Amino acid sequence: MTWTKEQRYLPYDHWDALKLLTLQAQADRSSFQLQYHIRPQSGLLNDPNGFSYFAGQYHLFYQAFPFGPVHGLKSWMHVVSKDLVHWQNLGLAIKPGDPIDSHGAYSGSAQEIDGKLFLMYTGNVRDQNWQRIPYQNGAWMDKTGEITKVSQPLFRNPSHISEHFRDPQLLKQNGKYYALLGAQEAQSQTGEIMVYQSTDLVNWEEIGPLNLGPLGYMIECPNLVYVDDRPVLIFCPQGLNKEQASYDNIYPNMYLVLDEVDLAHATVKGAGALQQLDFGFDIYASQAFNRGEDCYLISWAGLPEIAYPTDQENWSGCLSQVKELHLKNGRLVQQPVAAMCKLRQAETKLANEQILQTATDNQYELLLTIPANQTGTLELAKDNSGSLKVKFDTINGLVKLERTQGEFAKEYGLTRSVKTQAKQELKLDIFIDHSLAEIFVNDGEAVLTSRFFNHGTAIAMTSPCKYTASYWPIVK
Amino acid sequence: MTWTKEQRYLPYDHWDALKLLTLQAQADRSSFQLQYHIRPQSGLLNDPNGFSYFAGQYHLFYQAFPFGPVHGLKSWMHVVSKDLVHWQNLGLAIKPGDPIDSHGAYSGSAQEIDGKLFLMYTGNVRDQNWQRIPYQNGAWMDKTGEITKVSQPLFRNPSHISEHFRDPQLLKQNGKYYALLGAQEAQSQTGEIMVYQSTDLVNWEEIGPLNLGPLGYMIECPNLVYVDDRPVLIFCPQGLNKEQASYDNIYPNMYLVLDEVDLAHATVKGAGALQQLDFGFDIYASQAFNRGEDCYLISWAGLPEIAYPTDQENWSGCLSQVKELHLKNGRLVQQPVAAMCKLRQAETKLANEQILQTATDNQYELLLTIPANQTGTLELAKDNSGSLKVKFDTINGLVKLERTQGEFAKEYGLTRSVKTQAKQELKLDIFIDHSLAEIFVNDGEAVLTSRFFNHGTAIAMTSPCKYTASYWPIVK
């Protein structure tokens, strides 16, 4: 199906319910469908939004277009959890179509303020000449889940910022509210993180861009969080010069570990090297937030402008699992949250078998320990037509993921890799959920998150090697 | 909202998608919503249908009207499971609106035949004078889940049967196919179970009514299953004379344990007493099936013609948990399936405390053992405004459930009770899921299944008594 502009932006009440029920059934029945990750009920899911803790539970929203695998008229869908693993669907939360968000309720964040949750998001509005006006909007959610939009935009892009001005992260610091926004400087067409300030959430004042220097042509989804007491800035610089940092995906999701941030003056100090958040094929638009000293991260396991095989089934996208963040030697360490263990079914212990499982449900955790000074290839979702390959080299210290099946995103290469310590034991904690692989290397010192579209179900080493492993089917 | 006939029977593609998304969100957000039972995504759910095992998993369908809490244009929705506890939604399965089911795809059953699943259901058709024509229809589901209706009805009601002719149960015996149907004899207006026979699923021959004698004015949802090798007939006789069997609900769900059934001659032998399947307020339209020698049962935890409080939230209905059936002393014993234990979270052991829990999520299992020669009252979902009360008397042998909150179904009484052995220890295994209580008495010798609509969350005895108990929060 070719999507016209009219179809993409058709109001939700102009679609018919049978179409939606049919699309939901098609997504439900997909053999590639995620079973223990957050996924769209129908159509497209992309950025996580409004990740927060409020009224006794975690809240998360996500960007959704329920009518097809395209970036059409976006809404916020809502899920809640007590443990960051078992999520309850609460359905449509922010419906687009008002004058402040006529062409989409785009990404944003959430903060508890005076006993309510304040949602701050970008209202995408197109004028009669199809010029985009990026409004930054607010909405209040009370403890019953009732959401009321603030009827007027909080602010829009200043004249020196192009139409690319979005993804507000709302923060409270020293009695003031700050918003960090992804932005493009209009004249230089460079990416920036803009800082705004308010004392009342009504009147907002531009402070200026963070002093990060040029970062591509646009920055999306900025997040400032505190990890083990240090400020960390997570963001997606589009068009980043590969001399500034190496990456293979169409757009990278990067982070900076900082010494200090002074939002009132839009300045950061002591920024370390620009680093990749994830070494796999499919991570973008990550959103993190602090609950007290804890810091949690969730990501879209997908990328803009990539056509995925499930587009043929009229749905697209999923979220990663939630990860807890820590710092180690100036780098982020990402670990599954504690409750992930609860999904484990009966354990199978393995040691050195060449065939680890002949037939899985492609819904499992596999925790491998591989001694130093070996090379090998672990094949996941394997059948006669192929597999998703995890190559490891504990002589030189390398983990390489090889994705050859599925006709998608091949122009960005068939492998992703991450270096590890040479001549050291290697730990791989691998979560498979039908079409998503999340590989935690050495207790989360690196993660490779990737979609894959194989129909095989076996797990095997291509040749004998030494390892010990635990295999758990996952049921949720 | 008052529902006109036109609204009830509006084709699904005449409803708008925003309405459906809004209804789904409203159902998702209900504080009464079930979290570990099958429930409607929106609107109304009633009878379980097509309960079967096929292609490596259990299949279940249910009657659904997605647009409100009324019995409108019904479809079949589909869920699947490997363990009868964790169900995966597959969405809309049989869409009504063809000439053979223009006014609803009503209840029916499923049987594996030649590598496909044959779904047999009642197509509700109304002519221009609003006269009902009850077609009995077929549909084939392949292993990918693709469903193709047989375009012509298999048969309709014979002239001596009124328009009330539905709920076919398809059986294979001695190389022939049989269908048991709920029916009303036109002249006498009495309830019957009609038997039809076919060799090819195309040509069907009426054999006649089972020799059960008069059973009310209509029988719905007949099921013949084999439990511990004995034939058991489970069905819903409407308008049953209370001298034939005692019951309190508007319509009862009853069963007969038989010595022999000869479908070819529509005769049963050795029928025991007519017995109640469940002693609670809300069980109806139960469907059972055999997988080999195992027999599983699931029910609508609701009743026809009762307005439930969630009607105000535009949704209604849920299914019971699946129960495994056995026979003991000529009575059915119903037990949770093995995988229910997997939902248990950390155990709290209790003994004689008057307050068992001060605040639960109303999502738990409570297994109580109460010594002989005591009386007491266990209060569930308790707060200052009331509770759901379980009164027990192990002197005389009685368990009485008292439901006083919620303005619904009060004309059918505020209590339900079941006798137990006098002067014996009593075991109560209680499953609470927000607005559903399932109480297994003495390892399933009796079950009381009831909806309730309290906002309290405590568990307490009204006065001190002796017991031991295990309490497990349930997460799914």
Short mmCIF file of all heavy atoms in Angstrom, two decimals, chain A residues 318-362:
data_model
loop_
_atom_site.label_atom_id
_atom_site.label_comp_id
_atom_site.label_asym_id
_atom_site.label_seq_id
_atom_site.Cartn_x
_atom_site.Cartn_y
_atom_site.Cartn_z
N CYS A 318 9.04 -1.97 18.17
CA CYS A 318 8.87 -2.46 19.53
C CYS A 318 9.84 -1.69 20.41
O CYS A 318 10.73 -1.00 19.91
CB CYS A 318 9.17 -3.97 19.62
SG CYS A 318 10.87 -4.42 19.26
N LEU A 319 9.65 -1.81 21.71
CA LEU A 319 10.59 -1.19 22.64
C LEU A 319 11.56 -2.25 23.15
O LEU A 319 11.23 -3.44 23.21
CB LEU A 319 9.84 -0.54 23.81
CG LEU A 319 8.88 0.60 23.43
CD1 LEU A 319 8.31 1.24 24.70
CD2 LEU A 319 9.57 1.67 22.59
N SER A 320 12.73 -1.79 23.55
CA SER A 320 13.70 -2.65 24.23
C SER A 320 13.15 -3.00 25.61
O SER A 320 12.15 -2.44 26.05
CB SER A 320 15.02 -1.90 24.41
OG SER A 320 14.86 -0.90 25.41
N GLN A 321 13.81 -3.91 26.30
CA GLN A 321 13.51 -4.07 27.72
C GLN A 321 14.06 -2.85 28.48
O GLN A 321 14.89 -2.10 27.95
CB GLN A 321 14.11 -5.36 28.29
CG GLN A 321 15.61 -5.47 28.27
CD GLN A 321 16.11 -6.77 28.93
OE1 GLN A 321 16.23 -6.86 30.14
NE2 GLN A 321 16.38 -7.76 28.11
N VAL A 322 13.56 -2.64 29.68
CA VAL A 322 14.08 -1.55 30.52
C VAL A 322 15.43 -1.98 31.08
O VAL A 322 15.61 -3.14 31.46
CB VAL A 322 13.10 -1.23 31.67
CG1 VAL A 322 13.71 -0.19 32.61
CG2 VAL A 322 11.78 -0.72 31.12
N LYS A 323 16.37 -1.04 31.10
CA LYS A 323 17.68 -1.33 31.66
C LYS A 323 18.01 -0.36 32.79
O LYS A 323 17.62 0.81 32.73
CB LYS A 323 18.73 -1.25 30.55
CG LYS A 323 18.66 -2.48 29.63
CD LYS A 323 19.33 -2.26 28.31
CE LYS A 323 18.35 -1.65 27.31
NZ LYS A 323 18.90 -1.57 25.94
N GLU A 324 18.70 -0.87 33.78
CA GLU A 324 19.16 -0.03 34.88
C GLU A 324 20.56 0.45 34.54
O GLU A 324 21.40 -0.34 34.09
CB GLU A 324 19.16 -0.87 36.16
CG GLU A 324 19.32 -0.03 37.40
CD GLU A 324 19.18 -0.85 38.67
OE1 GLU A 324 18.49 -1.90 38.66
OE2 GLU A 324 19.80 -0.43 39.68
N LEU A 325 20.83 1.73 34.75
CA LEU A 325 22.11 2.31 34.34
C LEU A 325 23.05 2.52 35.52
O LEU A 325 22.63 2.96 36.60
CB LEU A 325 21.88 3.67 33.65
CG LEU A 325 21.05 3.66 32.38
CD1 LEU A 325 21.02 5.07 31.76
CD2 LEU A 325 21.58 2.65 31.36
N HIS A 326 24.30 2.20 35.29
CA HIS A 326 25.38 2.54 36.23
C HIS A 326 26.57 3.02 35.42
O HIS A 326 26.57 2.92 34.18
CB HIS A 326 25.74 1.33 37.10
CG HIS A 326 24.68 1.03 38.10
ND1 HIS A 326 24.50 1.78 39.24
CD2 HIS A 326 23.70 0.10 38.09
CE1 HIS A 326 23.47 1.30 39.91
NE2 HIS A 326 22.96 0.28 39.25
N LEU A 327 27.57 3.55 36.13
CA LEU A 327 28.80 3.99 35.47
C LEU A 327 29.96 3.11 35.92
O LEU A 327 30.02 2.70 37.09
CB LEU A 327 29.12 5.44 35.85
CG LEU A 327 28.43 6.53 35.04
CD1 LEU A 327 28.79 7.89 35.60
CD2 LEU A 327 28.80 6.44 33.55
N LYS A 328 30.84 2.82 34.98
CA LYS A 328 32.06 2.06 35.31
C LYS A 328 33.16 2.54 34.38
O LYS A 328 32.99 2.48 33.16
CB LYS A 328 31.77 0.57 35.11
CG LYS A 328 32.90 -0.34 35.55
CD LYS A 328 32.46 -1.81 35.40
CE LYS A 328 33.66 -2.74 35.58
NZ LYS A 328 33.29 -4.14 35.34
N ASN A 329 34.21 3.05 34.93
CA ASN A 329 35.34 3.56 34.13
C ASN A 329 34.88 4.56 33.07
O ASN A 329 35.31 4.51 31.92
CB ASN A 329 36.07 2.40 33.45
CG ASN A 329 36.56 1.38 34.47
OD1 ASN A 329 36.91 1.75 35.59
ND2 ASN A 329 36.57 0.11 34.09
N GLY A 330 33.96 5.44 33.45
CA GLY A 330 33.53 6.49 32.52
C GLY A 330 32.60 6.02 31.42
O GLY A 330 32.33 6.76 30.47
N ARG A 331 32.09 4.81 31.55
CA ARG A 331 31.16 4.29 30.54
C ARG A 331 29.88 3.81 31.22
O ARG A 331 29.90 3.33 32.34
CB ARG A 331 31.78 3.11 29.79
CG ARG A 331 33.01 3.48 28.96
CD ARG A 331 33.72 2.23 28.48
NE ARG A 331 32.83 1.39 27.68
CZ ARG A 331 32.84 1.34 26.36
NH1 ARG A 331 33.71 2.07 25.67
NH2 ARG A 331 32.01 0.56 25.69
N LEU A 332 28.79 3.91 30.47
CA LEU A 332 27.53 3.40 31.00
C LEU A 332 27.55 1.88 31.02
O LEU A 332 28.00 1.23 30.07
CB LEU A 332 26.34 3.87 30.15
CG LEU A 332 25.88 5.31 30.33
CD1 LEU A 332 24.70 5.60 29.39
CD2 LEU A 332 25.48 5.58 31.78
N VAL A 333 27.03 1.33 32.11
CA VAL A 333 26.78 -0.11 32.20
C VAL A 333 25.27 -0.27 32.25
O VAL A 333 24.58 0.42 33.01
CB VAL A 333 27.44 -0.69 33.47
CG1 VAL A 333 27.02 -2.14 33.67
CG2 VAL A 333 28.95 -0.57 33.36
N GLN A 334 24.73 -1.14 31.40
CA GLN A 334 23.28 -1.34 31.29
C GLN A 334 22.94 -2.76 31.72
O GLN A 334 23.48 -3.71 31.16
CB GLN A 334 22.82 -1.13 29.85
CG GLN A 334 23.17 0.23 29.28
CD GLN A 334 22.77 0.37 27.82
OE1 GLN A 334 21.68 -0.02 27.44
NE2 GLN A 334 23.66 0.90 27.00
N GLN A 335 22.02 -2.89 32.67
CA GLN A 335 21.67 -4.23 33.15
C GLN A 335 20.16 -4.44 33.15
O GLN A 335 19.40 -3.50 33.37
CB GLN A 335 22.23 -4.42 34.56
CG GLN A 335 23.74 -4.57 34.52
CD GLN A 335 24.37 -4.50 35.89
OE1 GLN A 335 23.98 -3.68 36.71
NE2 GLN A 335 25.37 -5.33 36.12
N PRO A 336 19.74 -5.68 32.91
CA PRO A 336 18.31 -5.98 33.02
C PRO A 336 17.83 -5.63 34.43
O PRO A 336 18.59 -5.75 35.38
CB PRO A 336 18.23 -7.49 32.80
CG PRO A 336 19.48 -7.85 32.07
CD PRO A 336 20.52 -6.89 32.57
N VAL A 337 16.58 -5.20 34.55
CA VAL A 337 16.06 -4.92 35.89
C VAL A 337 15.80 -6.24 36.62
O VAL A 337 15.66 -7.30 35.99
CB VAL A 337 14.77 -4.06 35.83
CG1 VAL A 337 15.06 -2.71 35.18
CG2 VAL A 337 13.66 -4.78 35.10
N ALA A 338 15.75 -6.15 37.95
CA ALA A 338 15.69 -7.38 38.77
C ALA A 338 14.54 -8.29 38.38
O ALA A 338 14.69 -9.52 38.34
CB ALA A 338 15.58 -6.98 40.24
N ALA A 339 13.38 -7.72 38.06
CA ALA A 339 12.19 -8.54 37.81
C ALA A 339 12.28 -9.37 36.54
O ALA A 339 11.47 -10.28 36.33
CB ALA A 339 10.94 -7.67 37.78
N MET A 340 13.26 -9.08 35.67
CA MET A 340 13.39 -9.91 34.46
C MET A 340 13.60 -11.38 34.82
O MET A 340 13.17 -12.27 34.08
CB MET A 340 14.55 -9.42 33.58
CG MET A 340 14.22 -8.21 32.72
SD MET A 340 12.84 -8.44 31.56
CE MET A 340 13.63 -9.38 30.25
N CYS A 341 14.27 -11.62 35.93
CA CYS A 341 14.50 -13.02 36.36
C CYS A 341 13.20 -13.77 36.59
O CYS A 341 13.16 -15.00 36.49
CB CYS A 341 15.31 -13.06 37.66
SG CYS A 341 16.96 -12.44 37.46
N LYS A 342 12.15 -13.05 36.95
CA LYS A 342 10.86 -13.70 37.24
C LYS A 342 10.25 -14.36 36.00
O LYS A 342 9.36 -15.20 36.13
CB LYS A 342 9.85 -12.67 37.76
CG LYS A 342 10.12 -12.16 39.15
CD LYS A 342 8.86 -11.44 39.64
CE LYS A 342 9.17 -10.31 40.58
NZ LYS A 342 8.02 -9.42 40.76
N LEU A 343 10.70 -13.94 34.84
CA LEU A 343 10.13 -14.51 33.61
C LEU A 343 10.75 -15.86 33.25
O LEU A 343 10.23 -16.58 32.42
CB LEU A 343 10.35 -13.55 32.43
CG LEU A 343 9.80 -12.13 32.57
CD1 LEU A 343 9.98 -11.38 31.25
CD2 LEU A 343 8.33 -12.14 32.95
N ARG A 344 11.88 -16.16 33.92
CA ARG A 344 12.57 -17.41 33.60
C ARG A 344 11.74 -18.62 33.98
O ARG A 344 11.26 -18.72 35.10
CB ARG A 344 13.89 -17.48 34.37
CG ARG A 344 14.93 -16.48 33.92
CD ARG A 344 16.11 -16.52 34.88
NE ARG A 344 17.20 -15.66 34.45
CZ ARG A 344 18.28 -15.39 35.19
NH1 ARG A 344 18.40 -15.93 36.40
NH2 ARG A 344 19.22 -14.61 34.73
N GLN A 345 11.61 -19.57 33.05
CA GLN A 345 11.00 -20.86 33.33
C GLN A 345 12.12 -21.84 33.70
O GLN A 345 13.22 -21.43 34.01
CB GLN A 345 10.17 -21.33 32.13
CG GLN A 345 9.10 -20.32 31.71
CD GLN A 345 8.09 -20.06 32.81
OE1 GLN A 345 7.41 -20.98 33.26
NE2 GLN A 345 7.97 -18.81 33.25
N ALA A 346 11.81 -23.13 33.63
CA ALA A 346 12.77 -24.15 34.09
C ALA A 346 14.14 -24.01 33.42
O ALA A 346 14.24 -23.92 32.20
CB ALA A 346 12.19 -25.54 33.83
N GLU A 347 15.18 -24.03 34.23
CA GLU A 347 16.55 -23.84 33.74
C GLU A 347 17.10 -25.13 33.13
O GLU A 347 16.89 -26.22 33.65
CB GLU A 347 17.44 -23.42 34.92
CG GLU A 347 18.89 -23.19 34.54
CD GLU A 347 19.73 -22.67 35.71
OE1 GLU A 347 19.20 -22.59 36.84
OE2 GLU A 347 20.91 -22.35 35.48
N THR A 348 17.80 -25.00 32.02
CA THR A 348 18.60 -26.09 31.48
C THR A 348 20.06 -25.66 31.54
O THR A 348 20.42 -24.61 31.02
CB THR A 348 18.24 -26.37 30.00
OG1 THR A 348 16.85 -26.65 29.93
CG2 THR A 348 19.03 -27.55 29.45
N LYS A 349 20.88 -26.46 32.22
CA LYS A 349 22.30 -26.14 32.30
C LYS A 349 23.02 -26.82 31.14
O LYS A 349 22.73 -27.97 30.81
CB LYS A 349 22.89 -26.59 33.64
CG LYS A 349 22.36 -25.76 34.80
CD LYS A 349 23.33 -25.79 35.98
CE LYS A 349 22.78 -25.03 37.16
NZ LYS A 349 23.47 -23.75 37.36
N LEU A 350 23.92 -26.10 30.54
CA LEU A 350 24.62 -26.60 29.37
C LEU A 350 26.12 -26.41 29.56
O LEU A 350 26.55 -25.50 30.28
CB LEU A 350 24.19 -25.81 28.13
CG LEU A 350 22.70 -25.91 27.77
CD1 LEU A 350 22.26 -24.71 26.96
CD2 LEU A 350 22.44 -27.20 27.01
N ALA A 351 26.89 -27.27 28.91
CA ALA A 351 28.36 -27.13 28.96
C ALA A 351 28.94 -27.79 27.73
O ALA A 351 28.90 -29.02 27.59
CB ALA A 351 28.92 -27.75 30.23
N ASN A 352 29.43 -26.98 26.81
CA ASN A 352 30.23 -27.44 25.66
C ASN A 352 29.43 -28.18 24.59
O ASN A 352 30.01 -28.59 23.59
CB ASN A 352 31.39 -28.33 26.12
CG ASN A 352 32.20 -27.67 27.21
OD1 ASN A 352 32.30 -26.43 27.25
ND2 ASN A 352 32.76 -28.46 28.11
N GLU A 353 28.12 -28.37 24.77
CA GLU A 353 27.32 -29.01 23.72
C GLU A 353 27.37 -28.15 22.47
O GLU A 353 27.23 -26.94 22.54
CB GLU A 353 25.85 -29.16 24.13
CG GLU A 353 25.59 -30.17 25.22
CD GLU A 353 25.66 -29.57 26.61
OE1 GLU A 353 26.19 -28.45 26.77
OE2 GLU A 353 25.20 -30.24 27.55
N GLN A 354 27.48 -28.81 21.32
CA GLN A 354 27.50 -28.01 20.09
C GLN A 354 26.07 -27.53 19.75
O GLN A 354 25.90 -26.40 19.29
CB GLN A 354 28.09 -28.81 18.93
CG GLN A 354 28.41 -27.89 17.75
CD GLN A 354 29.13 -28.60 16.63
OE1 GLN A 354 29.72 -29.67 16.82
NE2 GLN A 354 29.10 -27.99 15.45
N ILE A 355 25.09 -28.39 19.98
CA ILE A 355 23.69 -27.97 19.79
C ILE A 355 23.10 -27.66 21.16
O ILE A 355 22.95 -28.55 22.00
CB ILE A 355 22.88 -29.07 19.07
CG1 ILE A 355 23.45 -29.27 17.67
CG2 ILE A 355 21.39 -28.69 19.01
CD1 ILE A 355 22.85 -30.43 16.92
N LEU A 356 22.79 -26.40 21.38
CA LEU A 356 22.29 -26.00 22.70
C LEU A 356 20.81 -26.30 22.83
O LEU A 356 20.36 -26.77 23.87
CB LEU A 356 22.56 -24.51 22.94
CG LEU A 356 24.03 -24.14 23.19
CD1 LEU A 356 24.83 -24.06 21.91
CD2 LEU A 356 24.12 -22.82 23.95
N GLN A 357 20.04 -26.04 21.78
CA GLN A 357 18.62 -26.36 21.76
C GLN A 357 18.26 -26.68 20.31
O GLN A 357 18.63 -25.93 19.40
CB GLN A 357 17.75 -25.17 22.23
CG GLN A 357 17.90 -24.82 23.69
CD GLN A 357 17.23 -25.84 24.61
OE1 GLN A 357 16.06 -26.18 24.44
NE2 GLN A 357 18.00 -26.35 25.57
N THR A 358 17.49 -27.75 20.13
CA THR A 358 17.11 -28.09 18.75
C THR A 358 15.90 -27.27 18.29
O THR A 358 15.77 -26.95 17.11
CB THR A 358 16.76 -29.58 18.61
OG1 THR A 358 15.79 -29.90 19.61
CG2 THR A 358 18.00 -30.45 18.82
N ALA A 359 15.02 -26.94 19.21
CA ALA A 359 13.83 -26.17 18.82
C ALA A 359 13.33 -25.36 20.01
O ALA A 359 12.85 -25.93 20.99
CB ALA A 359 12.72 -27.11 18.34
N THR A 360 13.48 -24.06 19.94
CA THR A 360 12.95 -23.18 20.99
C THR A 360 11.69 -22.50 20.47
O THR A 360 11.31 -22.66 19.31
CB THR A 360 13.97 -22.07 21.31
OG1 THR A 360 13.98 -21.13 20.22
CG2 THR A 360 15.37 -22.62 21.51
N ASP A 361 11.06 -21.73 21.34
CA ASP A 361 9.95 -20.86 20.92
C ASP A 361 10.47 -19.48 20.49
O ASP A 361 9.68 -18.57 20.30
CB ASP A 361 8.97 -20.66 22.07
CG ASP A 361 8.10 -21.87 22.28
OD1 ASP A 361 7.98 -22.68 21.34
OD2 ASP A 361 7.54 -22.02 23.38
N ASN A 362 11.79 -19.34 20.39
CA ASN A 362 12.39 -18.01 20.17
C ASN A 362 11.92 -17.00 21.21
O ASN A 362 11.66 -15.83 20.91
CB ASN A 362 12.15 -17.50 18.75
CG ASN A 362 13.21 -18.06 17.79
OD1 ASN A 362 14.30 -18.43 18.22
ND2 ASN A 362 12.89 -18.12 16.51
#
